[in-house]
Amino acid sequence: MRRSISFLALCCFSALASANQATTPIAIVIHGGAGTINKSQMTEAQEQAYHATLKHAVETGYAVLEKGGSSVDAVTAAVLIMEDSPLFNAGKGAVYTYDEGHELDASIMRGDNLMAGAVSGVTVVKNPVLLARSVMEKSEHVMLSGAGAEQFAKEQGLELVENSYFDTEFRYDALKKAKQSMQKVPHQAQNYRLKAPWLPEWNMGTVGAVAMDRSGLLTAATSTGGMTAKRYGRIGDAPIIGAGNFADNGSCAVSATGHGEFFIRYRVASDICARVKYQGISADKAADQVIQQELAKVGGTGGVILIDHKGKVGWSFNTEGMYRAKKTEGEATISEIFKESSAK
Ligand code: ASP
C-alpha cells in the first residue's frame, strides 16, 4: 500500500515536472547599442547590414535554445557574432581610447545561482565575452582586470590578437571628432569631466543578450569597447554586475547600454530586477520607470533589453534609437533600430 502511494506521488511529481517543462518558454533578446541613430544619416545599405547582423546573432542564439541548449550558451553565441562584427562597439570595431588604443569590458551572469564573471580593460583578447565566461566558470573570482585578466585568458587558451585587430576607420574618425570637441571646451578636457561634449553616438554600439532556456534559466551578457576617448583606465557599466548586466531567476535578466557613468550610479540592471522582485510589477514597467523616468530626468542616456522570469521579453530606451532584436517561440524574428517600430 505504502509503495503504491509513493509510486502515485512519484507519477504526480513527474507529470507536474514535465508539464512545467513543457510550458517553460524559450526566448532571446539582443541589443547592439543605444544612441543618436538617425535614419537620415544612414544609408539603406548600412541599415540592411545592421538588420542582417542582428538577425543572424539573435537567430544563432535562439537555435541553441531550440536544440535544448542553455541560455548561457545562447547569449554567448549571440554576443560572439556581434563582437566579431565591425558594426558594433565590442570586439572588432571597439571605440578608441584617448591614447588611440582599445580597452574592452564584458560580463556574464546566470540567474539560477547568481554566478557571474566580468573583465575590464582588456586589450588583446579577441572575444571578451568568452573571457568573462571563463572567469565565471573556471575561476573563484567575479571580476578580473587588465594584465591579470589577459594572463588568465592565455592560461585558458583563449584567442589573443594584436590590439590593432580592433581598429576601424569609422571609430578612428569618431575619436578625432571627440578630441576636437574636447579642445573647444578646454576646462573639460583638462579636468576630464564627463559632461558635454561627450555625445551618445561616441560610445554607441555596445552589445548584449538576455535569454531564457527550457529549464527556465535566465542569463545576461554584455560586451563593449566603452566610451570614445576614455582615459586613465576608465571602466564603464558593462562589466559591473548590477549596473550594465544582471540576471536573477526570481525576477529578470537585463543587459544595458548607454552612458555608463549613469548606469553605474543608478545601478540600473539590478534596480530594474529589484522592482520586479519586491514590487511585483512587470519587467517592462520596471524598465520604463528606471530608463524613462529616473535616468531621463538626470540626463542619463541609454537603454536596456530584458526578459522576465516568465520568459516575457522587452526593451526600453530614452535615446533616438537602439539596435535590437528578439526571437520568441512561435513568433518571427523582429529587428529594429529607430524609436518608432520599423520591424524588419
Ligand atoms: N555603457 C557603455 C559604457 O559606458 C557604452 C555604451 O553602452 O554605449 O562603457
Side-chain angles (χ1 to χ4, degrees):
M1 178 66 179
R2 190 185 293 163
R3 186 178 286 176
S4 60
I5 288 175
S6 50
F7 178 70
L8 199 68
L10 189 70
C11 289
C12 286
F13 179 76
S14 12
L16 275 175
S18 59
N20 191 27
Q21 183 122 10
T23 54
T24 304
I26 53 171
I28 179 165
V29 197
I30 64 169
H31 71 77
T36 312
I37 312 173
N38 201 318
K39 197 169 171 68
S40 63
Q41 286 164 356
M42 252 182 152
T43 65
E44 187 62 27
Q46 281 170 330
E47 227 183 281
Q48 290 314 322
Y50 277 105
H51 280 299
T53 311
L54 287 169
K55 279 191 170 172
H56 178 43
V58 82
E59 284 171 359
T60 302
Y62 189 80
V64 172
L65 300 171
E66 220 173 14
K67 285 187 207 117
S70 76
S71 54
V72 178
D73 286 339
V75 298
T76 306
V79 168
L80 273 177
I81 287 169
M82 292 186 283
E83 282 185 342
D84 288 344
S85 162
L87 294 175
F88 302 100
N89 172 20
K92 175 79 187 167
V95 297
Y96 285 80
T97 63
Y98 189 87
D99 299 321
E100 308 199 348
H102 309 274
E103 294 171 5
L104 285 63
D105 303 333
S107 63
I108 189 164
M109 182 173 194
R110 49 186 298 154
D112 54 350
N113 53 13
L114 306 195
M115 291 295 280
V119 292
S120 66
V122 293
T123 58
V124 295
V125 179
K126 182 168 179 259
N127 292 110
V129 72
L130 292 181
L131 182 55
R133 185 167 170 179
S134 290
V135 173
M136 175 172 80
E137 292 175 347
K138 312 268 177 56
S139 87
E140 42 181 320
H141 306 299
V142 169
M143 191 174 198
L144 301 181
S145 69
E150 286 166 355
Q151 174 65 29
F152 182 65
K154 213 189 256 175
E155 288 171 15
Q156 291 298 313
L158 295 182
E159 189 173 349
L160 303 181
V161 290
E162 295 289 325
N163 192 247
S164 59
Y165 159 80
F166 302 109
D167 288 357
T168 51
E169 221 179 289
F170 158 67
R171 296 295 184 189
Y172 193 64
D173 287 346
L175 175 67
K176 283 194 286 191
K177 280 189 201 132
K179 282 189 168 176
Q180 279 160 11
S181 304
M182 285 163 82
Q183 277 152 18
K184 282 190 207 136
V185 194
H187 72 279
Q188 291 192 344
Q190 216 178 343
N191 296 330
Y192 197 65
R193 290 183 64 86
L194 282 167
K195 286 195 167 215
W198 262 266
L199 300 176
E201 57 265 37
W202 291 343
N203 44 306
M204 204 169 63
T206 291
V207 308
V210 294
M212 176 183 259
D213 63 29
R214 283 265 177 250
S215 75
L217 171 66
L218 291 176
T219 305
T222 309
S223 179
T224 189
M227 187 177 262
T228 298
K230 64 183 181 180
R231 289 171 104 172
Y232 313 120
R234 180 263 187 190
I235 304 294
D237 59 316
I240 297 183
I241 300 304
N245 204 49
F246 194 71
D248 177 358
N249 280 5
S251 54
C252 60
V254 175
S255 169
T257 169
H259 195 153
E261 281 65 18
F262 286 89
F263 282 69
I264 295 171
R265 290 167 50 222
Y266 285 78
R267 71 232 179 281
V268 167
S270 63
D271 187 17
I272 291 171
C273 292
R275 287 167 193 251
V276 172
K277 193 167 186 168
Y278 302 118
Q279 293 180 3
I281 59 174
S282 73
D284 271 350
K285 194 168 176 196
D288 282 344
Q289 284 178 356
V290 174
I291 301 295
Q292 314 296 348
Q293 293 168 32
E294 304 287 327
L295 278 189
K297 74 178 174 226
V298 293
T301 51
V304 289
I305 50 166
L306 47 102
I307 177 163
D308 74 11
H309 54 107
K310 293 181 188 139
K312 189 167 177 295
V313 301
W315 46 53
S316 183
F317 54 97
N318 61 27
T319 46
E320 271 184 42
M322 180 167 83
Y323 299 105
R324 58 201 189 275
K326 60 182 172 183
K327 174 91 183 92
T328 54
E329 257 178 329
E331 301 287 333
T333 305
I334 289 177
S335 75
E336 293 181 0
I337 299 178
F338 311 106
K339 192 149 228 160
E340 66 289 355
S341 173
S342 55
K344 295 265 168 166

